Amino acid sequence: MPRYTGFNHIALVTGDMDATVRFWRDLLGLPLVAGLGHAGYRQYFFAVSSVDTVAFFEWDGVTPVAEKDHGAPQRGPVAFDHIALGVASDDDLWDIKARLEGAGFWCSEPVDHGFIHSIYSFDPNGIAIEFSTQVSGVDVRSRPRMTDSAPVPSALEGPAPRPEAWPAPAPDVPQDERRTYPGEGHDFLYAKRNAWEKTS
């Protein structure tokens, strides 16, 4: 099985990168660690942890989505509900709540979900955000629980992956045939311009 390290990045969309930087970097305190593209097509990355980032594409003509309550059922095509950022403690939840409300953003009261405590808000793009901290002494990764009153059949098989549910993987690509192809930002490390470095 693959060795996962976390979410490398979650890619969201904005029509106003400046407002997005102000919210995610300056209000929430997530460092802006990479910026790619040009006017009309940008992608910026904000560090959440040593391995996880939140990224935003900026495209011309994008407008904020209508705010939808976190977890509220929807009908028709839908692919995304909300993003949840982990924080270290309940004190961090209260700090974020104070920052959001001080800047004029709505923020819920803390909610106890049994294994996490959470607060909820929205960014300037209308994206639903949750901030969560683990409840002390409750670790669902080491002691999984299923309390759904009518679990789907696959869930009744337990928490461990069941790779036999799928056909065997295709044969490995030989080492001498493995290649990567240029994409947006492929020259990132070699670009001559870095707007954050002083030029002499």
Side-chain angles (χ1 to χ4, degrees), residues 34-45:
L36 309 174
H38 46 79
Y41 186 94
R42 293 185 174 94
Q43 189 176 25
Y44 285 13
F45 293 76

Side-chain angles (χ1 to χ4, degrees), residues 100-158:
L100 289 166
E101 291 178 345
F105 290 92
W106 172 85
C107 184
S108 76
E109 297 301 316
V111 177
D112 182 349
H113 292 294
F115 64 103
I116 56 174
H117 292 166
S118 300
I119 57 173
Y120 300 88
S121 189
F122 298 89
D123 91 331
N125 305 293
I127 295 168
I129 312 169
E130 175 181 356
F131 303 88
S132 301
T133 188
Q134 295 295 129
V135 171
S136 179
V138 181
D139 182 0
V140 295
R141 288 163 184 79
S142 64
R143 295 190 64 196
R145 296 192 65 194
M146 174 62 67
T147 61
D148 182 353
S149 62
V152 297
S154 59
L156 290 173
E157 297 171 356

Side-chain angles (χ1 to χ4, degrees), residues 9 14 26 29 42 66 92 103-104 106 112 117 137 162 171 186:
H9 67 278
T14 181
D26 300 336
R42 293 185 174 94
D92 293 300
W106 172 85
D112 182 349
H117 292 166
R162 302 285 301 264
H186 73 278

